[in-house]
Amino acid sequence: MNIAIDGPAGAGKSTIAKRAAKELGFIYVDTGAMYRAIAVYLIDNGVSAGDEAKVAEAIDDISIEIRYEDGAQQVYLNGDNVTGRLRTEEVGNMASKSSALPCVREKLLSIQRELAAKNDVVMDGRDIGTNILPNAELKIYLTASVEVRAQRRYDELVAKGEAGVDRDKIEQDIAARDKQDMERKAAPLKRADDAILVDSSDMGIEEVAAQIIRLANERK
């Protein structure tokens, strides 16, 4: 069984998907982490997302693995654990740009579909229900207002002890990323026709996860 969870940045997709996967006994496939791993590689090698030919050449031979160690997901890029770098704003912004490139999407598409064909999975991203897993048994479009998503991200960064966090700048970045994700030519962010809309603006994590688990159990 495949569950696809799509939605904009900061909607809580990864957190909710992990909870649902654990409760259902499914494998959680973090597609966003895969794109962010590629973004780390591009940043470290000084490759601009604006030069698709160079990006295609740069990522041709890279390897990305998702492993579970002590119950926690770890992302390895060419054998190096890059998990701690994936949630930075710099990597997030690069991932939003580079993930729009067809060469990047093609690189990860076969990996993701192969995982879903062999396992019960919960997969979250921007185009899972519309492009990666169009035949998923359950599709969710998880969203929240820009203001709520910005506040959540601000709280997350402050809790991590990051200094000089600008909430207004975060809100501007999220709004810009929404526009970029929705308007890109390659697999833009949109709600699949058969996806169930879940607005988490006024819902807690447990409440959203419980709703998705209930819907999944109904479809088993």
Side-chain angles (χ1 to χ4, degrees):
M1 181 177 182
N2 295 167
I3 300 174
I5 303 178
D6 289 308
K13 298 185 299 297
S14 297
T15 302
I16 300 302
K18 287 174 190 173
R19 292 282 182 103
K22 186 175 182 180
E23 183 72 23
L24 293 163
F26 287 18
I27 291 173
Y28 168 57
V29 181
D30 186 347
T31 63
M34 292 177 168
Y35 283 108
R36 284 170 179 264
I38 286 180
V40 168
Y41 186 82
L42 297 178
I43 290 168
D44 287 352
N45 288 275
V47 180
S48 168
D51 190 335
E52 185 173 357
K54 283 191 176 178
V55 171
E57 183 180 354
I59 67 172
D60 189 41
D61 293 322
I62 69 173
S63 68
I64 298 169
E65 294 178 81
I66 292 180
R67 305 178 194 170
Y68 281 86
E69 298 172 0
D70 298 324
Q73 177 185 271
Q74 304 295 321
V75 179
Y76 284 80
L77 171 65
N78 293 337
D80 295 327
N81 190 331
V82 294
T83 310
R85 298 181 58 193
L86 300 183
R87 301 301 299 175
T88 65
E89 289 299 300
E90 180 187 23
V91 169
N93 289 330
M94 171 61 92
S96 184
K97 295 173 185 173
S98 59
S99 66
L101 301 176
C103 64
V104 173
R105 308 197 73 78
E106 288 165 13
K107 177 75 178 178
L108 295 178
L109 179 62
S110 59
I111 298 172
Q112 293 160 357
R113 283 184 174 165
E114 187 176 344
L115 275 168
K118 295 179 179 178
N119 303 278
D120 292 325
V121 302
V122 179
M123 197 177 293
D124 73 296
R126 302 288 195 278
D127 66 337
I128 308 304
T130 56
N131 184 48
I132 307 297
L133 302 177
N135 298 317
E137 286 83 355
L138 175 60
K139 299 178 186 178
I140 302 291
Y141 189 84
L142 180 64
T143 190
S145 70
V146 172
E147 294 78 14
V148 166
R149 287 185 281 137
Q151 187 63 47
R152 288 174 181 168
R153 182 64 176 149
Y154 173 82
D155 292 342
E156 179 186 348
L157 293 172
V158 170
K160 288 180 178 177
E162 293 200 20
V165 182
D166 185 335
R167 189 202 167 285
D168 290 340
K169 176 67 164 55
I170 291 172
E171 187 171 322
Q172 290 168 9
D173 283 348
I174 286 176
R177 199 176 303 176
D178 284 354
K179 186 174 187 295
Q180 189 166 268
D181 289 342
M182 290 174 178
E183 293 180 355
R184 70 189 182 201
K185 292 180 180 178
L189 167 65
K190 63 179 180 179
R191 177 184 171 188
D193 292 339
D194 53 348
I196 296 169
L197 177 66
V198 178
D199 189 325
S200 69
S201 297
D202 299 313
M203 299 170 71
I205 291 170
E206 297 293 347
E207 191 179 356
V208 177
Q211 182 175 344
I212 292 173
I213 290 163
R214 176 179 56 78
L215 289 166
N217 285 325
E218 288 173 358
R219 284 162 172 72
K220 279 186 175 179

PDB file of all heavy atoms in Angstrom, residues 56-88:
ATOM      1  N   ALA A  56      23.302  18.505 -14.156  1.00  0.00           N
ATOM      2  CA  ALA A  56      23.159  17.141 -14.662  1.00  0.00           C
ATOM      3  C   ALA A  56      24.484  16.397 -14.623  1.00  0.00           C
ATOM      4  O   ALA A  56      24.547  15.215 -14.244  1.00  0.00           O
ATOM      5  CB  ALA A  56      22.609  17.171 -16.090  1.00  0.00           C
ATOM      6  N   GLU A  57      25.550  17.084 -15.006  1.00  0.00           N
ATOM      7  CA  GLU A  57      26.883  16.473 -14.997  1.00  0.00           C
ATOM      8  C   GLU A  57      27.333  16.189 -13.563  1.00  0.00           C
ATOM      9  O   GLU A  57      27.886  15.127 -13.264  1.00  0.00           O
ATOM     10  CB  GLU A  57      27.880  17.417 -15.674  1.00  0.00           C
ATOM     11  CG  GLU A  57      29.283  16.850 -15.778  1.00  0.00           C
ATOM     12  CD  GLU A  57      30.260  17.810 -16.452  1.00  0.00           C
ATOM     13  OE1 GLU A  57      29.809  18.867 -16.941  1.00  0.00           O
ATOM     14  OE2 GLU A  57      31.458  17.500 -16.470  1.00  0.00           O
ATOM     15  N   ALA A  58      27.052  17.145 -12.671  1.00  0.00           N
ATOM     16  CA  ALA A  58      27.511  17.026 -11.281  1.00  0.00           C
ATOM     17  C   ALA A  58      26.849  15.863 -10.550  1.00  0.00           C
ATOM     18  O   ALA A  58      27.489  15.167  -9.762  1.00  0.00           O
ATOM     19  CB  ALA A  58      27.249  18.331 -10.537  1.00  0.00           C
ATOM     20  N   ILE A  59      25.559  15.651 -10.791  1.00  0.00           N
ATOM     21  CA  ILE A  59      24.830  14.642 -10.019  1.00  0.00           C
ATOM     22  C   ILE A  59      24.806  13.264 -10.676  1.00  0.00           C
ATOM     23  O   ILE A  59      24.220  12.326 -10.139  1.00  0.00           O
ATOM     24  CB  ILE A  59      23.376  15.089  -9.744  1.00  0.00           C
ATOM     25  CG1 ILE A  59      22.554  15.145 -11.048  1.00  0.00           C
ATOM     26  CG2 ILE A  59      23.351  16.424  -9.023  1.00  0.00           C
ATOM     27  CD1 ILE A  59      21.064  15.402 -10.822  1.00  0.00           C
ATOM     28  N   ASP A  60      25.453  13.139 -11.806  1.00  0.00           N
ATOM     29  CA  ASP A  60      25.375  11.900 -12.577  1.00  0.00           C
ATOM     30  C   ASP A  60      25.770  10.669 -11.761  1.00  0.00           C
ATOM     31  O   ASP A  60      25.115   9.628 -11.836  1.00  0.00           O
ATOM     32  CB  ASP A  60      26.260  12.012 -13.818  1.00  0.00           C
ATOM     33  CG  ASP A  60      26.066  10.845 -14.772  1.00  0.00           C
ATOM     34  OD1 ASP A  60      24.902  10.436 -14.957  1.00  0.00           O
ATOM     35  OD2 ASP A  60      27.058  10.342 -15.310  1.00  0.00           O
ATOM     36  N   ASP A  61      26.816  10.789 -10.978  1.00  0.00           N
ATOM     37  CA  ASP A  61      27.341   9.615 -10.273  1.00  0.00           C
ATOM     38  C   ASP A  61      27.151   9.653  -8.755  1.00  0.00           C
ATOM     39  O   ASP A  61      27.726   8.828  -8.045  1.00  0.00           O
ATOM     40  CB  ASP A  61      28.840   9.444 -10.571  1.00  0.00           C
ATOM     41  CG  ASP A  61      29.092   9.094 -12.034  1.00  0.00           C
ATOM     42  OD1 ASP A  61      28.289   8.325 -12.586  1.00  0.00           O
ATOM     43  OD2 ASP A  61      30.083   9.586 -12.609  1.00  0.00           O
ATOM     44  N   ILE A  62      26.369  10.612  -8.244  1.00  0.00           N
ATOM     45  CA  ILE A  62      26.222  10.669  -6.791  1.00  0.00           C
ATOM     46  C   ILE A  62      25.262   9.581  -6.300  1.00  0.00           C
ATOM     47  O   ILE A  62      24.383   9.138  -7.030  1.00  0.00           O
ATOM     48  CB  ILE A  62      25.748  12.054  -6.291  1.00  0.00           C
ATOM     49  CG1 ILE A  62      24.304  12.332  -6.714  1.00  0.00           C
ATOM     50  CG2 ILE A  62      26.669  13.148  -6.757  1.00  0.00           C
ATOM     51  CD1 ILE A  62      23.742  13.603  -6.092  1.00  0.00           C
ATOM     52  N   SER A  63      25.470   9.169  -5.061  1.00  0.00           N
ATOM     53  CA  SER A  63      24.578   8.165  -4.465  1.00  0.00           C
ATOM     54  C   SER A  63      23.911   8.764  -3.225  1.00  0.00           C
ATOM     55  O   SER A  63      24.534   9.513  -2.472  1.00  0.00           O
ATOM     56  CB  SER A  63      25.361   6.909  -4.071  1.00  0.00           C
ATOM     57  OG  SER A  63      26.237   7.174  -2.993  1.00  0.00           O
ATOM     58  N   ILE A  64      22.636   8.455  -3.056  1.00  0.00           N
ATOM     59  CA  ILE A  64      21.871   8.918  -1.893  1.00  0.00           C
ATOM     60  C   ILE A  64      21.204   7.703  -1.270  1.00  0.00           C
ATOM     61  O   ILE A  64      20.519   6.941  -1.950  1.00  0.00           O
ATOM     62  CB  ILE A  64      20.809   9.959  -2.291  1.00  0.00           C
ATOM     63  CG1 ILE A  64      21.472  11.198  -2.888  1.00  0.00           C
ATOM     64  CG2 ILE A  64      19.957  10.351  -1.085  1.00  0.00           C
ATOM     65  CD1 ILE A  64      20.507  12.154  -3.548  1.00  0.00           C
ATOM     66  N   GLU A  65      21.423   7.538   0.030  1.00  0.00           N
ATOM     67  CA  GLU A  65      20.815   6.425   0.750  1.00  0.00           C
ATOM     68  C   GLU A  65      20.061   6.942   1.962  1.00  0.00           C
ATOM     69  O   GLU A  65      20.489   7.900   2.605  1.00  0.00           O
ATOM     70  CB  GLU A  65      21.888   5.455   1.253  1.00  0.00           C
ATOM     71  CG  GLU A  65      22.656   4.723   0.187  1.00  0.00           C
ATOM     72  CD  GLU A  65      23.709   3.835   0.827  1.00  0.00           C
ATOM     73  OE1 GLU A  65      23.350   2.731   1.275  1.00  0.00           O
ATOM     74  OE2 GLU A  65      24.875   4.265   0.905  1.00  0.00           O
ATOM     75  N   ILE A  66      18.941   6.295   2.245  1.00  0.00           N
ATOM     76  CA  ILE A  66      18.214   6.561   3.489  1.00  0.00           C
ATOM     77  C   ILE A  66      18.356   5.323   4.362  1.00  0.00           C
ATOM     78  O   ILE A  66      17.972   4.229   3.961  1.00  0.00           O
ATOM     79  CB  ILE A  66      16.727   6.871   3.228  1.00  0.00           C
ATOM     80  CG1 ILE A  66      16.590   8.214   2.499  1.00  0.00           C
ATOM     81  CG2 ILE A  66      15.946   6.906   4.531  1.00  0.00           C
ATOM     82  CD1 ILE A  66      15.162   8.615   2.199  1.00  0.00           C
ATOM     83  N   ARG A  67      18.951   5.514   5.534  1.00  0.00           N
ATOM     84  CA  ARG A  67      19.133   4.398   6.466  1.00  0.00           C
ATOM     85  C   ARG A  67      18.436   4.730   7.785  1.00  0.00           C
ATOM     86  O   ARG A  67      18.275   5.900   8.128  1.00  0.00           O
ATOM     87  CB  ARG A  67      20.621   4.160   6.752  1.00  0.00           C
ATOM     88  CG  ARG A  67      21.489   3.943   5.529  1.00  0.00           C
ATOM     89  CD  ARG A  67      22.943   3.778   5.930  1.00  0.00           C
ATOM     90  NE  ARG A  67      23.866   3.899   4.809  1.00  0.00           N
ATOM     91  CZ  ARG A  67      25.184   3.983   4.933  1.00  0.00           C
ATOM     92  NH1 ARG A  67      25.731   3.956   6.148  1.00  0.00           N
ATOM     93  NH2 ARG A  67      25.957   4.114   3.867  1.00  0.00           N
ATOM     94  N   TYR A  68      18.051   3.697   8.498  1.00  0.00           N
ATOM     95  CA  TYR A  68      17.479   3.885   9.828  1.00  0.00           C
ATOM     96  C   TYR A  68      18.475   3.373  10.856  1.00  0.00           C
ATOM     97  O   TYR A  68      18.852   2.202  10.836  1.00  0.00           O
ATOM     98  CB  TYR A  68      16.129   3.168   9.957  1.00  0.00           C
ATOM     99  CG  TYR A  68      15.016   3.946   9.314  1.00  0.00           C
ATOM    100  CD1 TYR A  68      14.747   3.814   7.955  1.00  0.00           C
ATOM    101  CD2 TYR A  68      14.268   4.877  10.031  1.00  0.00           C
ATOM    102  CE1 TYR A  68      13.757   4.563   7.342  1.00  0.00           C
ATOM    103  CE2 TYR A  68      13.277   5.628   9.425  1.00  0.00           C
ATOM    104  CZ  TYR A  68      13.021   5.462   8.086  1.00  0.00           C
ATOM    105  OH  TYR A  68      12.053   6.209   7.481  1.00  0.00           O
ATOM    106  N   GLU A  69      18.920   4.274  11.723  1.00  0.00           N
ATOM    107  CA  GLU A  69      19.897   3.942  12.758  1.00  0.00           C
ATOM    108  C   GLU A  69      19.318   4.331  14.111  1.00  0.00           C
ATOM    109  O   GLU A  69      18.993   5.502  14.333  1.00  0.00           O
ATOM    110  CB  GLU A  69      21.218   4.674  12.484  1.00  0.00           C
ATOM    111  CG  GLU A  69      21.846   4.256  11.146  1.00  0.00           C
ATOM    112  CD  GLU A  69      23.056   5.101  10.764  1.00  0.00           C
ATOM    113  OE1 GLU A  69      23.414   6.007  11.537  1.00  0.00           O
ATOM    114  OE2 GLU A  69      23.631   4.850   9.684  1.00  0.00           O
ATOM    115  N   ASP A  70      19.191   3.347  14.990  1.00  0.00           N
ATOM    116  CA  ASP A  70      18.580   3.575  16.316  1.00  0.00           C
ATOM    117  C   ASP A  70      17.195   4.208  16.183  1.00  0.00           C
ATOM    118  O   ASP A  70      16.814   5.089  16.960  1.00  0.00           O
ATOM    119  CB  ASP A  70      19.483   4.465  17.186  1.00  0.00           C
ATOM    120  CG  ASP A  70      20.835   3.816  17.456  1.00  0.00           C
ATOM    121  OD1 ASP A  70      20.866   2.579  17.622  1.00  0.00           O
ATOM    122  OD2 ASP A  70      21.841   4.536  17.485  1.00  0.00           O
ATOM    123  N   GLY A  71      16.452   3.771  15.159  1.00  0.00           N
ATOM    124  CA  GLY A  71      15.088   4.248  14.969  1.00  0.00           C
ATOM    125  C   GLY A  71      14.975   5.607  14.314  1.00  0.00           C
ATOM    126  O   GLY A  71      13.871   6.101  14.081  1.00  0.00           O
ATOM    127  N   ALA A  72      16.100   6.230  13.985  1.00  0.00           N
ATOM    128  CA  ALA A  72      16.077   7.561  13.374  1.00  0.00           C
ATOM    129  C   ALA A  72      16.576   7.494  11.936  1.00  0.00           C
ATOM    130  O   ALA A  72      17.514   6.755  11.621  1.00  0.00           O
ATOM    131  CB  ALA A  72      16.940   8.534  14.168  1.00  0.00           C
ATOM    132  N   GLN A  73      15.937   8.281  11.070  1.00  0.00           N
ATOM    133  CA  GLN A  73      16.341   8.303   9.666  1.00  0.00           C
ATOM    134  C   GLN A  73      17.635   9.089   9.491  1.00  0.00           C
ATOM    135  O   GLN A  73      17.787  10.192  10.020  1.00  0.00           O
ATOM    136  CB  GLN A  73      15.247   8.955   8.825  1.00  0.00           C
ATOM    137  CG  GLN A  73      15.624   9.076   7.352  1.00  0.00           C
ATOM    138  CD  GLN A  73      14.586   9.824   6.556  1.00  0.00           C
ATOM    139  OE1 GLN A  73      13.664   9.253   6.040  1.00  0.00           O
ATOM    140  NE2 GLN A  73      14.738  11.128   6.470  1.00  0.00           N
ATOM    141  N   GLN A  74      18.548   8.515   8.758  1.00  0.00           N
ATOM    142  CA  GLN A  74      19.810   9.182   8.433  1.00  0.00           C
ATOM    143  C   GLN A  74      19.960   9.201   6.913  1.00  0.00           C
ATOM    144  O   GLN A  74      19.664   8.208   6.246  1.00  0.00           O
ATOM    145  CB  GLN A  74      20.998   8.450   9.071  1.00  0.00           C
ATOM    146  CG  GLN A  74      20.904   8.276  10.577  1.00  0.00           C
ATOM    147  CD  GLN A  74      20.943   9.595  11.325  1.00  0.00           C
ATOM    148  OE1 GLN A  74      21.685  10.509  10.955  1.00  0.00           O
ATOM    149  NE2 GLN A  74      20.152   9.712  12.376  1.00  0.00           N
ATOM    150  N   VAL A  75      20.427  10.321   6.392  1.00  0.00           N
ATOM    151  CA  VAL A  75      20.597  10.456   4.952  1.00  0.00           C
ATOM    152  C   VAL A  75      22.087  10.515   4.621  1.00  0.00           C
ATOM    153  O   VAL A  75      22.819  11.338   5.185  1.00  0.00           O
ATOM    154  CB  VAL A  75      19.890  11.718   4.422  1.00  0.00           C
ATOM    155  CG1 VAL A  75      20.099  11.857   2.912  1.00  0.00           C
ATOM    156  CG2 VAL A  75      18.399  11.668   4.743  1.00  0.00           C
ATOM    157  N   TYR A  76      22.502   9.645   3.731  1.00  0.00           N
ATOM    158  CA  TYR A  76      23.906   9.568   3.341  1.00  0.00           C
ATOM    159  C   TYR A  76      24.083  10.027   1.902  1.00  0.00           C
ATOM    160  O   TYR A  76      23.366   9.579   0.995  1.00  0.00           O
ATOM    161  CB  TYR A  76      24.424   8.140   3.492  1.00  0.00           C
ATOM    162  CG  TYR A  76      24.699   7.747   4.932  1.00  0.00           C
ATOM    163  CD1 TYR A  76      23.652   7.371   5.769  1.00  0.00           C
ATOM    164  CD2 TYR A  76      25.990   7.779   5.446  1.00  0.00           C
ATOM    165  CE1 TYR A  76      23.893   7.022   7.093  1.00  0.00           C
ATOM    166  CE2 TYR A  76      26.242   7.434   6.762  1.00  0.00           C
ATOM    167  CZ  TYR A  76      25.192   7.060   7.589  1.00  0.00           C
ATOM    168  OH  TYR A  76      25.429   6.729   8.901  1.00  0.00           O
ATOM    169  N   LEU A  77      25.019  10.912   1.702  1.00  0.00           N
ATOM    170  CA  LEU A  77      25.371  11.418   0.380  1.00  0.00           C
ATOM    171  C   LEU A  77      26.784  10.951   0.060  1.00  0.00           C
ATOM    172  O   LEU A  77      27.739  11.317   0.774  1.00  0.00           O
ATOM    173  CB  LEU A  77      25.308  12.955   0.372  1.00  0.00           C
ATOM    174  CG  LEU A  77      25.844  13.673  -0.866  1.00  0.00           C
ATOM    175  CD1 LEU A  77      25.005  13.350  -2.096  1.00  0.00           C
ATOM    176  CD2 LEU A  77      25.903  15.183  -0.634  1.00  0.00           C
ATOM    177  N   ASN A  78      26.909  10.112  -0.939  1.00  0.00           N
ATOM    178  CA  ASN A  78      28.215   9.537  -1.297  1.00  0.00           C
ATOM    179  C   ASN A  78      28.936   8.966  -0.079  1.00  0.00           C
ATOM    180  O   ASN A  78      30.143   9.134   0.097  1.00  0.00           O
ATOM    181  CB  ASN A  78      29.090  10.588  -1.983  1.00  0.00           C
ATOM    182  CG  ASN A  78      28.547  10.994  -3.336  1.00  0.00           C
ATOM    183  OD1 ASN A  78      27.800  10.255  -3.964  1.00  0.00           O
ATOM    184  ND2 ASN A  78      28.894  12.192  -3.790  1.00  0.00           N
ATOM    185  N   GLY A  79      28.157   8.306   0.776  1.00  0.00           N
ATOM    186  CA  GLY A  79      28.738   7.645   1.938  1.00  0.00           C
ATOM    187  C   GLY A  79      28.885   8.505   3.170  1.00  0.00           C
ATOM    188  O   GLY A  79      29.232   8.001   4.245  1.00  0.00           O
ATOM    189  N   ASP A  80      28.646   9.813   3.046  1.00  0.00           N
ATOM    190  CA  ASP A  80      28.773  10.719   4.191  1.00  0.00           C
ATOM    191  C   ASP A  80      27.395  11.066   4.755  1.00  0.00           C
ATOM    192  O   ASP A  80      26.469  11.379   3.997  1.00  0.00           O
ATOM    193  CB  ASP A  80      29.474  12.022   3.783  1.00  0.00           C
ATOM    194  CG  ASP A  80      30.912  11.800   3.367  1.00  0.00           C
ATOM    195  OD1 ASP A  80      31.558  10.891   3.936  1.00  0.00           O
ATOM    196  OD2 ASP A  80      31.402  12.525   2.474  1.00  0.00           O
ATOM    197  N   ASN A  81      27.267  11.037   6.077  1.00  0.00           N
ATOM    198  CA  ASN A  81      26.003  11.374   6.730  1.00  0.00           C
ATOM    199  C   ASN A  81      25.821  12.894   6.705  1.00  0.00           C
ATOM    200  O   ASN A  81      26.562  13.629   7.349  1.00  0.00           O
ATOM    201  CB  ASN A  81      26.009  10.871   8.177  1.00  0.00           C
ATOM    202  CG  ASN A  81      24.633  10.976   8.817  1.00  0.00           C
ATOM    203  OD1 ASN A  81      23.832  11.836   8.474  1.00  0.00           O
ATOM    204  ND2 ASN A  81      24.362  10.105   9.770  1.00  0.00           N
ATOM    205  N   VAL A  82      24.816  13.365   5.946  1.00  0.00           N
ATOM    206  CA  VAL A  82      24.578  14.813   5.811  1.00  0.00           C
ATOM    207  C   VAL A  82      23.281  15.235   6.499  1.00  0.00           C
ATOM    208  O   VAL A  82      22.801  16.347   6.293  1.00  0.00           O
ATOM    209  CB  VAL A  82      24.540  15.230   4.320  1.00  0.00           C
ATOM    210  CG1 VAL A  82      25.904  15.029   3.668  1.00  0.00           C
ATOM    211  CG2 VAL A  82      23.452  14.475   3.554  1.00  0.00           C
ATOM    212  N   THR A  83      22.723  14.361   7.314  1.00  0.00           N
ATOM    213  CA  THR A  83      21.425  14.616   7.949  1.00  0.00           C
ATOM    214  C   THR A  83      21.382  15.955   8.673  1.00  0.00           C
ATOM    215  O   THR A  83      20.396  16.697   8.571  1.00  0.00           O
ATOM    216  CB  THR A  83      21.083  13.486   8.943  1.00  0.00           C
ATOM    217  OG1 THR A  83      21.249  12.225   8.282  1.00  0.00           O
ATOM    218  CG2 THR A  83      19.659  13.618   9.453  1.00  0.00           C
ATOM    219  N   GLY A  84      22.441  16.288   9.397  1.00  0.00           N
ATOM    220  CA  GLY A  84      22.473  17.513  10.195  1.00  0.00           C
ATOM    221  C   GLY A  84      22.462  18.796   9.384  1.00  0.00           C
ATOM    222  O   GLY A  84      22.195  19.872   9.923  1.00  0.00           O
ATOM    223  N   ARG A  85      22.721  18.698   8.090  1.00  0.00           N
ATOM    224  CA  ARG A  85      22.784  19.900   7.245  1.00  0.00           C
ATOM    225  C   ARG A  85      21.508  20.131   6.438  1.00  0.00           C
ATOM    226  O   ARG A  85      21.344  21.196   5.822  1.00  0.00           O
ATOM    227  CB  ARG A  85      23.954  19.783   6.275  1.00  0.00           C
ATOM    228  CG  ARG A  85      25.313  19.697   6.948  1.00  0.00           C
ATOM    229  CD  ARG A  85      26.420  19.608   5.927  1.00  0.00           C
ATOM    230  NE  ARG A  85      26.411  20.754   5.017  1.00  0.00           N
ATOM    231  CZ  ARG A  85      27.101  20.813   3.884  1.00  0.00           C
ATOM    232  NH1 ARG A  85      27.853  19.794   3.509  1.00  0.00           N
ATOM    233  NH2 ARG A  85      27.044  21.884   3.117  1.00  0.00           N
ATOM    234  N   LEU A  86      20.611  19.164   6.436  1.00  0.00           N
ATOM    235  CA  LEU A  86      19.498  19.207   5.492  1.00  0.00           C
ATOM    236  C   LEU A  86      18.461  20.279   5.780  1.00  0.00           C
ATOM    237  O   LEU A  86      17.773  20.728   4.862  1.00  0.00           O
ATOM    238  CB  LEU A  86      18.809  17.837   5.441  1.00  0.00           C
ATOM    239  CG  LEU A  86      19.680  16.659   4.997  1.00  0.00           C
ATOM    240  CD1 LEU A  86      18.850  15.394   4.928  1.00  0.00           C
ATOM    241  CD2 LEU A  86      20.333  16.937   3.643  1.00  0.00           C
ATOM    242  N   ARG A  87      18.312  20.698   7.040  1.00  0.00           N
ATOM    243  CA  ARG A  87      17.219  21.607   7.398  1.00  0.00           C
ATOM    244  C   ARG A  87      17.632  23.074   7.436  1.00  0.00           C
ATOM    245  O   ARG A  87      16.853  23.922   7.868  1.00  0.00           O
ATOM    246  CB  ARG A  87      16.633  21.209   8.752  1.00  0.00           C
ATOM    247  CG  ARG A  87      16.084  19.801   8.822  1.00  0.00           C
ATOM    248  CD  ARG A  87      14.986  19.540   7.815  1.00  0.00           C
ATOM    249  NE  ARG A  87      13.830  20.409   8.006  1.00  0.00           N
ATOM    250  CZ  ARG A  87      12.789  20.445   7.208  1.00  0.00           C
ATOM    251  NH1 ARG A  87      12.750  19.674   6.139  1.00  0.00           N
ATOM    252  NH2 ARG A  87      11.768  21.239   7.447  1.00  0.00           N
ATOM    253  N   THR A  88      18.821  23.408   6.964  1.00  0.00           N
ATOM    254  CA  THR A  88      19.231  24.810   6.956  1.00  0.00           C
ATOM    255  C   THR A  88      18.471  25.562   5.858  1.00  0.00           C
ATOM    256  O   THR A  88      18.035  24.965   4.870  1.00  0.00           O
ATOM    257  CB  THR A  88      20.743  24.970   6.713  1.00  0.00           C
ATOM    258  OG1 THR A  88      21.056  24.502   5.392  1.00  0.00           O
ATOM    259  CG2 THR A  88      21.554  24.173   7.741  1.00  0.00           C
TER     260      THR A  88
END
